[in-house]
């Protein structure tokens, strides 16, 4: 049946059940197993399968479709499941260091099941654990063992009620008292309460707390982090002086307990300062390997790229799940047709293809991007651990920081919009909780906000790009780009003279939109630079000048650059000689569709700057997008089969692999609690009739 | 203090509490009370105030901030509140006919409090009630009294599990049995179960059921509606043969019980056919005043404009609430600043202005539009009731249908996107349930789907427009446009030769974008017509040809036409001589900003079609949008004071009128249930530690 796929693949990737989706599957231009093996690799597929199977086979992970668990119960279940994940120990401690992609895959597998669970595990083990490991020193390693054994449970407390993005304005203080060799952690008022901290609401016993460090000589040394015990692990009652609680229900991820804490002169041992970037001697002297506060601050907030790249991956997972649901629905939902007797699947409509297929392409393109960028970051980290302090390493760090800062907004917004489109594309059934699109949207939403508000982050990317235009160094080298994201800038500003001279057919490959993107980014770079110079020349201070350049300049520049970077990587990947011949056509179509659809948001600028002229250029882009959609629609179900998790994990009646849309939905609805029962308060209807207007006199 | 405002206004519109928002209020260019009186009128303000005060003063309507009520309890509360609304009888029966704007206002007041409540009341009284009144005849008037006294409770059952948009494909049947003079209502299978029906889940005793009518002669007569009793009002138990239940949790509006029903040969009296458009004699003969099925079908689904225009209004209400919350937040939340000591309100940032102020302008423009279109519909209805069967009346009906069909998508999408932007613009605090942006988004979301999926509805509008291009009638009159929405077409196709020749300053008034919109709609009309002709010429059937013209042609045409129509109305309104002089500047800025911001989505087409040329045109549009935002930012808080309901109704700590962002939020969080308590399952943490890897062997 699949001669090009090695033996054993059928056991690893069993055939989807026959049913209404068979028609589309039979029309696919490629073998879905071959793509799955090419995309993920057999080892990774096996690993994911082992995780999924464990969850599906364990009653603790049983689904309660469509139900809104009471908050307390949901929190409890999430905690119990977190413990169970530790017991499964899907990855050994050695894997944590040696198989970084598997760590990522485990987070994604848990997230596909439920983001509250994934977040709970991640915050304790990777965020709290890494903070201790990376910001502390040997004297803190005792905590690592306690983290692994769950003797303590951790959280990461940076944000305060009144400050998030502006971390320098954090107001919690840590005064050192040499008499007792302790730090006194204090919240000056409730606006400085730690707030939003995941795991802090009900479960964390320890927190990495960021506070302004003061030494007895009266000097402030800026933000440092401390391990602070906030609850007694025996009783889960708060420690003296700590007021800790739950911030309440959020739009999503309610299995996770986000919390707040106020510290009333809480004393902690001197050794609990995480002292990688600065320490206090027993006598109270401040010592640091860094020359100035800014440099130290930068280093202490260093590992931000990890968070941002992780969030990109989470957003991509959500997008994959949503398009899987919406495309299987669209291939089986029939509505209207050429005659009153014959209805066609809504996927046959051009509008439905155009609404969904670009997001399917985006899921593939961004999945490739986030995974490959993650590996770049791993490489950076390995260099750092190996003691590489070269200029190239520093440039790699800056480049990754810029790309991670812009990639998070691009991925989280693409997912947010894509999930909403999927919800609407499923009509009313998309609005039913049991079909999961709402949960995906709500759980994805914070990806737009945490680890840096998207708009704030984009400024990191645009500032990086604008910085490259500064006068060349004496040796003539303007910049190096270890990730090659900046290579196109070699041609700047000459590239601005380029014009689109191709034909409509050229748009069917991603090379054409890639060339257009290079021109576009150079155009926006020039526009942004000129605008910034103008603003500064008009006498505004740097703060106002920068603020006034964001909307149509720096913001657009950062987004266009990120799209270019994603398009470039996916183009290179899909045009690589290593792609098996039977998969080339479909992967290149995905690459072209993502590239062109993204580019089409910028058509106005392409015309305005002269890259496009005449009506035909714009028309040909539109035509090519629709052509690519039409070419991909028969592959859509098979492409979903490659990225969709098992039905138990996907957890959506309208998105099940058998395509039995109505049977699955009907079955789920009938499983609702008390679905056919009259309400407990029925007597309110029948016995106490309202007295119409009876209260009118009260108005 | 406010010399131009009549006495008594201060009692009706009390001054907002002093606090952090005072700074912006003091900078406003106009008197907010004067605008409130001009916008709503004193009588309407008084009416709204009476409704709001009644709810605020009644413990049954007490808020439970941020809590997720259990489904059963939320349903019960919503039902009890619905009864209470009947007891308040805010509008007498006479108002229902004589003060249509007050009916609308009442729905909006209830919706501002909670859409589940508004929907529950509306579905029973106005949707079920109107269906009986408008589709029935005198023999059904007995039901109206029972509706008012709540002896029965109603729902409107059209959609089935497998069919929504394609209403003609509805499969429930009604066979007439002359032996007993009864209809036999039957669901052939579960895919034909009525589904999504609001009020049906737990409370409705009666349903207006749409079914295919068959007479004993074996002939089918198409879709008709019937009053079918589904539950016993004494017990709320289902009637024999009716399987009725709850479809379960939705993404929002969970106080409303949406349900399903399957009918197993349920017999109802012949008289319960709603016989306005067709009847069956006791002997079983079908009689109708209409000549053919299509005509009768059209008439029976006539009153669709009511639903669509109502939804526009609901979406606008949601947008108003969301921008009120986000703008008050933005005027008080400070983050970063020119120096480390001085932080500025985030509303001072260009990006934040650009994210929010266009939606504030949209709220005003669409509010005016939906109310004025509602009054047009009232006029149409009065004409129909008065027996007006003139051609003009028919043209008015078609024009309203086209504008209502396109207006619903425009308003619901604008609200959906605006609420999401507001949620993100409030950062993490926007993600906290207690601040209500999530509820607004979730409750608004179905506006994109029900009463016709947005994409399907847009086709009604574009088909109407394309129909106008047919050859002129013999008398030379191509069309009449009682609402004047089509007057610009007089200039078609000559208008296509127009070019933008103005200067940047012209964009600061809505006249310039209005002119551009007229060109744009004509351009899209020509493009769509040509595309349709091409598709047909290529041998595709009408169905495929139409489908292939949607994305970049008919869909864009319908949306651009709707934006033009809204812009036109708001431009006319804000430039009317009746606008008090002190309000002119701010209203015209809102008009210009909405117009230009909407238009800027189409810049690519303005260039492509030659209306724009050169870089300056595009730059000037961007510059003008930012200038208008900057001009409006000091008015934003006062503009919100005009449209925001009292704090109790708005129900958002970060959106309260006193602007005490953190005090309000902190106070709300501390009111959470068990916020400081350890979890009930604390022993799970302290006594049962996981055995790391203990289950590994099970993998």
């Amino acid at each position: 049946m699949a001669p090009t796929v090695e033996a054993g693949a059928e056991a690893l990737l069993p055939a989807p059940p026959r049913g209404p989706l068979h028609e589309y599957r039979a029309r696919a231009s490629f073998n879905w197993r071959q793509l799955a093996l090419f995309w993920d690799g057999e080892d990774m597929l096996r690993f994911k399968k082992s995780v999924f199977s464990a969850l599906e086979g364990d009653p603790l992970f049983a689904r309660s479709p469509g139900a809104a668990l009471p908050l307390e119960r949901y929190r409890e279940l999430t905690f119990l499941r977190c413990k169970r994940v530790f017991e499964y120990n899907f990855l050994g401690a050695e894997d944590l260091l040696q198989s970084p992609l598997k760590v990522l895959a485990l987070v994604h597998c848990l997230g596909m099941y439920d983001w509250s669970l994934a977040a709970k595990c991640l915050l304790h083990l990777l965020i709290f654990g890494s903070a201790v490991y990376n910001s502390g020193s040997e004297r803190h390693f005792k905590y690592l063992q306690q983290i692994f054994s769950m003797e303590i449970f951790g959280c990461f407390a940076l944000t305060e009620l009144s400050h998030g993005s502006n971390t320098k304005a954090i107001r919690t203080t840590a005064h050192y008292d040499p008499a007792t060799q302790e730090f006194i952690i204090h919240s000056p008022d409730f606006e400085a309460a730690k707030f939003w901290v995941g795991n802090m609401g009900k479960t964390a016993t320890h927190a990495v707390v960021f506070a302004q460090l003061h030494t007895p000589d009266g000097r402030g040394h800026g933000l440092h982090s401390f391990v602070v015990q906030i609850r007694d692990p025996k009783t889960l009652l708060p420690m003296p002086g700590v007021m800790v609680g739950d911030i309440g229900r959020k739009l999503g991820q309610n299995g996770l307990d986000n919390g707040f804490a106020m510290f009333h002169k809480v004393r902690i041992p001197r050794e609990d300062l995480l002292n990688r970037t600065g320490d206090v001697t027993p006598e109270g002297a401040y010592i640091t390997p860094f020359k100035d506060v800014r440099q130290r601050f930068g280093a202490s907030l260093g590992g931000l790229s990890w968070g941002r790249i992780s969030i990109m991956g989470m957003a991509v997972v959500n997008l994959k799940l949503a398009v899987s649901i919406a495309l299987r629905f669209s291939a089986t939902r029939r509505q209207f047709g050429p005659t009153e007797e014959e209805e066609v699947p809504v996927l046959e409509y051009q509008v439905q293809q155009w609404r969904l297929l670009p997001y399917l392409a985006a899921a593939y393109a961004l999945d490739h991007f986030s995974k490959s960028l993650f590996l770049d970051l791993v490489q950076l980290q390995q260099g750092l651990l190996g003691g590489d302090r070269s200029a190239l390493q520093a440039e790699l760090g800056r480049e990754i920081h810029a790309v991670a800062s812009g990639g998070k907004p691009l991925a989280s917004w693409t997912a947010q919009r894509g999930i909403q489109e999927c919800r609407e594309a499923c009509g009313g059934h998309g609005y039913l909780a049991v079909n999961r699109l709402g949960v995906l949207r709500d759980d994805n939403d914070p990806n737009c906000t945490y680890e840096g508000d998207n708009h704030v982050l984009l400024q990191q990317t645009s500032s990086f790009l604008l910085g490259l235009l500064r006068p060349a160094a004496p040796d003539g080298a303007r910049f190096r780009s270890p990730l090659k994201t900046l290579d196109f800038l070699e041609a700047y500003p000459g590239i601005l003279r380029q014009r689109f001279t191709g034909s409509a057919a050229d748009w069917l490959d991603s090379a054409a939109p890639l060339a257009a993107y290079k021109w576009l980014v150079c155009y926006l770079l020039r526009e942004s630079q000129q605008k910034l110079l103008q603003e500064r020349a008009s006498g505004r201070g740097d703060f106002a000048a920068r603020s006034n350049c964001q909307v149509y300049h720096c913001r657009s520049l950062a987004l266009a650059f990120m799209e270019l970077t994603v398009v470039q990587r996916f183009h290179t990947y899909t045009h690589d000689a290593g792609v098996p011949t039977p998969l080339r056509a479909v992967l290149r179509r995905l690459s072209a569709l993502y590239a062109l659809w993204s580019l089409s948001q910028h058509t106005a600028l392409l015309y305005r700057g002269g890259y496009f002229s005449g009506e035909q250029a714009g028309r040909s882009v539109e035509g090519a997008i629709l052509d690519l959609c039409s070419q991909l629609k028969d592959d859509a179900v098979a492409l979903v089969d490659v990225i969709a998790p098992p039905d138990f994990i996907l957890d959506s009646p309208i998105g099940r692999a058998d395509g039995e849309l109505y049977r699955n939905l009907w079955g789920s609805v009938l499983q609702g609690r008390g679905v056919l029962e009259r309400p407990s308060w029925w007597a309110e209807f029948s016995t106490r009739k309202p007295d119409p207007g009876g209260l009118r006199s009260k108005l």
Side-chain angles (χ1 to χ4, degrees), chain A:
Chain A
M1 189 180 164
T4 59
V5 180
E6 50 220 276
E10 289 204 28
L12 185 59
L13 299 165
R18 274 189 83 96
L21 286 170
H22 176 73
E23 215 176 302
Y24 279 100
R25 287 183 175 126
R27 289 206 294 266
S29 74
F30 67 98
N31 180 309
W32 75 277
R33 284 195 189 97
Q34 188 179 18
L35 181 54
L37 285 164
F38 175 71
W39 193 256
D40 267 340
E42 191 176 334
D43 186 43
M44 185 61 80
L45 288 172
R46 237 175 254 294
F47 174 68
K48 288 196 208 173
K49 187 169 178 147
S50 71
V51 178
F52 290 145
S53 301
L55 304 187
E56 185 166 359
D58 187 334
L60 184 60
F61 293 84
R63 293 289 197 183
S64 47
L69 292 171
L71 206 58
E72 179 89 356
R73 174 66 184 146
Y74 189 14
R75 300 276 172 80
E76 179 183 4
L77 263 179
T78 306
F79 178 73
L80 295 176
R81 287 168 180 164
C82 178
K83 282 211 295 190
R84 190 63 59 91
V85 168
F86 270 67
E87 299 195 298
Y88 280 116
N89 200 21
F90 293 108
L91 291 170
E94 67 288 359
D95 285 326
L96 284 179
L97 296 171
Q98 284 164 19
S99 310
L101 269 185
K102 277 199 186 157
V103 180
L104 198 68
L106 177 59
V107 173
H108 292 177
C109 286
L110 297 176
M112 285 191 178
Y113 173 75
D114 180 1
W115 280 114
S116 291
L117 172 62
K120 193 156 195 69
C121 299
L122 187 71
L123 284 164
H124 168 63
L125 197 60
L126 294 182
I127 311 292
F128 176 69
S130 303
V132 172
Y133 181 76
N134 291 326
S135 306
S137 56
E138 272 182 34
R139 72 191 194 214
H140 303 109
F141 288 180
K142 63 178 180 185
Y143 288 123
L144 297 181
Q145 186 48 47
Q146 294 177 311
I147 290 171
F148 280 107
S149 63
M150 255 201 200
E151 282 169 71
I152 64 175
F153 205 74
C155 63
F156 183 87
L158 173 58
T159 301
E160 297 177 354
L161 179 60
S162 66
H163 284 98
S165 291
N166 190 1
T167 48
K168 290 185 199 173
I170 292 299
R171 289 165 58 233
T172 303
T173 55
H175 282 90
Y176 183 67
D177 178 0
T180 59
Q181 299 197 15
E182 288 172 321
F183 287 102
I184 305 165
I185 307 291
H186 188 68
S187 312
D189 55 49
F190 72 85
E191 291 192 14
K194 294 295 172 188
F195 207 85
W196 271 110
V197 183
N199 280 347
M200 185 180 257
K202 291 290 174 190
T203 37
T205 60
H206 288 66
V208 166
V209 173
F210 284 79
Q212 303 290 347
L213 171 61
H214 296 274
T215 39
D217 56 8
R219 291 176 60 195
H221 304 278
L223 214 54
H224 286 69
S225 54
F226 304 81
V227 177
V228 181
Q229 185 178 347
I230 57 174
R231 287 188 179 92
D232 178 345
K234 290 204 183 62
T235 61
L236 278 191
L237 290 170
M239 298 303 285
V242 180
M243 174 178 168
V244 56
D246 195 301
I247 65 166
R249 213 160 53 83
K250 299 147 292 174
L251 306 201
Q253 298 200 11
N254 278 309
L256 179 67
D257 49 316
N258 292 75
F260 62 83
M262 277 186 76
F263 301 98
H264 183 74
K265 299 182 182 164
V266 173
R267 288 179 169 262
I268 61 167
R270 182 187 71 90
E271 292 76 15
D272 282 345
L273 165 64
L274 293 168
N275 59 334
R276 172 76 51 107
T277 62
D279 206 350
V280 173
T281 64
E283 298 71 31
Y286 183 75
I287 45 175
T288 172
F290 293 95
K291 281 177 207 149
D292 64 54
V293 176
R294 286 172 57 89
Q295 197 190 7
R296 195 197 51 71
F297 180 78
S300 77
L301 287 179
L304 290 174
S305 292
W306 286 108
R308 290 166 192 177
I309 294 175
S310 299
I311 291 173
M312 287 174 60
M314 297 175 188
V316 173
V317 165
N318 290 326
L319 184 58
K320 281 178 177 177
L321 297 177
V323 295
S324 296
I325 296 167
L327 280 166
R328 283 179 178 165
F329 172 88
S330 300
T332 45
R333 171 82 169 178
R334 291 166 182 267
Q335 207 78 183
F336 296 107
T339 66
E340 288 199 15
E341 288 69 39
E342 179 200 352
E343 290 193 305
V344 298
V346 293
L347 183 53
E348 295 299 315
Y349 292 95
Q350 192 189 61
V351 170
Q352 194 82 351
Q353 294 164 18
W354 170 77
R355 292 168 79 180
L356 297 176
L357 295 176
Y359 284 111
L360 176 66
Y364 272 88
L366 290 167
D367 191 36
H368 172 67
F369 182 70
S370 66
K371 282 193 297 204
S372 65
L373 191 61
F374 178 81
L375 289 177
D376 292 330
L377 182 59
V378 167
Q379 192 201 335
L380 174 72
Q381 177 85 353
Q382 284 168 346
L384 286 174
L385 292 175
D388 185 347
R389 294 282 180 274
S390 66
L392 190 70
Q393 179 79 356
E395 275 166 348
L396 177 62
R398 277 196 293 277
E399 191 173 4
I400 287 183
H401 179 76
V403 173
S405 297
K408 195 214 93 161
L410 177 64
S412 58
W413 277 330
T414 304
Q416 200 284 331
R417 288 170 198 148
I419 298 166
Q420 179 66 26
E421 192 68 66
C422 288
R423 160 10 233 145
E424 292 181 32
C426 294
H429 296 322
Y431 192 65
L432 210 51
V434 74
N435 289 320
R436 212 188 168 194
L437 291 165
V439 171
L440 292 176
R441 186 184 63 180
D442 293 342
D443 283 1
N444 184 71
D445 203 14
N447 288 334
C448 302
T449 301
Y450 48 36
E451 289 286 322
D453 172 84
N454 280 356
H455 282 282
V456 175
L457 286 191
L458 287 176
Q459 297 185 33
Q460 310 263 335
T461 310
S462 57
S463 297
F464 170 75
L465 292 170
L466 286 163
L468 299 173
L469 297 187
R470 288 194 205 109
D475 64 354
R478 285 205 314 204
F479 52 82
R480 281 189 291 182
S481 172
L483 299 183
K484 301 185 191 302
T485 66
L486 306 168
D487 287 359
F488 71 99
L489 275 180
E490 297 292 347
Y492 177 85
I495 201 171
L496 289 167
R497 288 188 297 275
Q498 286 184 6
R499 299 290 175 258
F500 175 66
T501 54
S503 71
D506 288 327
W507 293 122
L508 299 178
D509 186 88
S510 40
L514 188 57
Y517 259 120
K518 290 177 181 172
W519 176 91
L520 176 70
V521 174
C522 289
Y523 181 76
L524 282 166
L525 198 53
R526 190 186 61 186
E527 293 278 301
S528 299
Q529 188 191 29
Q530 287 176 353
K531 173 80 175 165
L532 199 56
L533 290 173
Q534 254 175 37
E535 287 288 324
R536 283 186 176 136
S538 75
R540 289 200 179 82
D542 188 60
F543 182 76
R546 281 186 179 273
S547 170
N548 288 348
C549 291
Q550 290 306 316
V551 173
Y552 293 112
H553 296 87
C554 298
R555 188 191 58 87
S556 304
L557 168 64
L559 281 171
F561 168 71
M562 284 315 307
E563 289 158 14
L564 163 60
T565 307
V566 175
V567 166
Q568 173 76 67
R569 283 211 175 187
F570 201 46
H571 176 81
T572 306
Y573 178 73
T574 54
H575 289 67
D576 186 89
V579 179
T581 315
L583 302 178
R584 285 185 187 169
V586 65
L587 284 175
R588 291 180 185 186
R589 279 176 190 145
L590 288 172
S591 177
L593 179 57
Y594 175 70
L596 202 56
W597 171 76
S598 295
L599 180 70
S600 69
Q601 304 166 76
H602 307 285
T603 309
L605 286 178
L606 296 174
Y607 272 114
R608 172 173 132 185
Y611 189 80
F612 275 5
S613 56
E615 288 185 278
Q616 210 40 49
R619 281 194 192 128
S620 67
V621 168
E622 294 175 354
I625 290 173
L626 298 175
D627 282 351
L628 287 164
C629 285
S630 163
Q631 289 171 15
L632 280 164
K633 64 125 174 140
D634 286 338
D635 280 341
V637 170
L639 284 166
V640 161
D641 288 337
V642 172
I643 57 173
D647 287 340
F648 171 78
I649 300 291
L650 187 59
D651 195 29
S652 173
I654 61 172
R656 288 179 74 93
D658 66 7
E660 294 282 3
L661 165 63
Y662 300 119
R663 285 169 197 264
N664 294 330
L665 184 54
W666 185 247
S668 279
V669 166
L670 292 185
Q671 281 298 309
R673 193 170 167 185
V675 61
L676 296 171
E677 278 174 37
R678 65 177 171 180
S680 55
W681 39 271
W682 61 271
E684 284 292 344
F685 182 84
S686 48
T687 57
R688 274 169 260 172
K689 290 291 168 195
D691 169 18
L695 291 174
R696 181 119 208 211
S697 59
K698 284 207 168 184
L699 293 183

